[in-house]
Amino acid sequence: MSPLPRLHDARIPKEGSVSPAERMFRVNWISAEFRSPSGIPLLSADYVSRLGRAARVVDVRPAEELVGSLGFIPGSDWVPEEGALAVLEQLGDDDPVVLVSRGGERAGKLAAALEARGKRFVAELFGGILAWRQAGLSTVRDHEILAKKNELR
């Protein structure tokens, strides 16, 4: 993990080209992001929990995992892995998206694929929902999310 933001990262817009709040959001995202040995963009559960609604959280697990004992992150969207690329490609290239799976492997593969397709602010929740729960963060098991399959807020 790099302790300082990568100041020459092309994702950081020049001052004045976006609002100061948007620029600071991007700087913070980049400084919090780290990479797996294979280059997958990762964000910690602690950082994601502080984002609130500033980023879209998308759970890619199947229905039985989503409403099972681990639950899902409140406010997240549900886009199962098998159709996730097609649904998530509809988002803008600079829309921040955090992908969630059980332990992170499925979300990581999708994050890498979306990044390769030009999404600049996409990452896997490092450690998945298991890390989220281990950090003491809340989840819900509301079956109503099943009716919102592939719907992005």
Side-chain angles (χ1 to χ4, degrees), residues 2 60 95 106 121 153:
S2 173
V60 300
D95 290 350
R106 290 171 285 186
F121 293 92
R153 59 174 167 81

Side-chain angles (χ1 to χ4, degrees), residues 52-89:
R53 289 238 184 241
R56 181 183 312 277
V57 176
V58 178
D59 202 309
V60 300
R61 295 175 295 152
E64 57 276 1
E65 282 186 46
L66 190 71
V67 295
S69 62
L70 293 173
F72 58 91
I73 297 170
S76 61
D77 295 326
W78 178 44
V79 181
E81 178 185 18
E82 64 273 1
L85 279 177
V87 173
L88 296 172
E89 281 183 331

Side-chain angles (χ1 to χ4, degrees), residues 39-60:
I40 293 170
L42 307 166
L43 291 171
S44 71
D46 178 62
Y47 178 76
V48 174
S49 73
R50 290 183 278 122
L51 286 173
R53 289 238 184 241
R56 181 183 312 277
V57 176
V58 178
D59 202 309
V60 300

Side-chain angles (χ1 to χ4, degrees), residues 2-151:
S2 173
L4 298 173
R6 290 159 272 177
L7 298 177
H8 300 291
D9 191 304
R11 296 177 294 172
I12 299 174
K14 291 184 180 1
E15 288 186 47
S17 63
V18 296
S19 73
E22 176 64 21
R23 187 171 191 278
M24 188 53 61
F25 174 85
R26 293 180 188 190
V27 168
N28 287 334
W29 177 289
I30 292 164
S31 67
E33 181 184 81
F34 56 105
R35 299 275 169 163
S36 72
S38 61
I40 293 170
L42 307 166
L43 291 171
S44 71
D46 178 62
Y47 178 76
V48 174
S49 73
R50 290 183 278 122
L51 286 173
R53 289 238 184 241
R56 181 183 312 277
V57 176
V58 178
D59 202 309
V60 300
R61 295 175 295 152
E64 57 276 1
E65 282 186 46
L66 190 71
V67 295
S69 62
L70 293 173
F72 58 91
I73 297 170
S76 61
D77 295 326
W78 178 44
V79 181
E81 178 185 18
E82 64 273 1
L85 279 177
V87 173
L88 296 172
E89 281 183 331
Q90 299 171 27
L91 299 173
D93 289 346
D94 288 336
D95 290 350
V97 179
V98 179
L99 301 171
V100 180
S101 59
R102 180 178 167 85
E105 187 174 329
R106 290 171 285 186
K109 289 177 184 176
L110 283 168
L114 288 165
E115 189 175 56
R117 287 171 170 76
K119 303 300 181 198
R120 296 169 7 122
F121 293 92
V122 62
E124 165 200 331
L125 173 63
F126 180 62
I129 197 72
L130 293 172
W132 183 269
R133 292 289 304 266
Q134 187 172 24
L137 299 164
S138 68
T139 60
V140 294
R141 292 184 295 189
D142 186 349
H143 284 70
E144 288 185 21
I145 195 170
L146 300 177
K148 297 177 182 178
K149 177 180 178 181
N150 294 329
E151 289 181 21

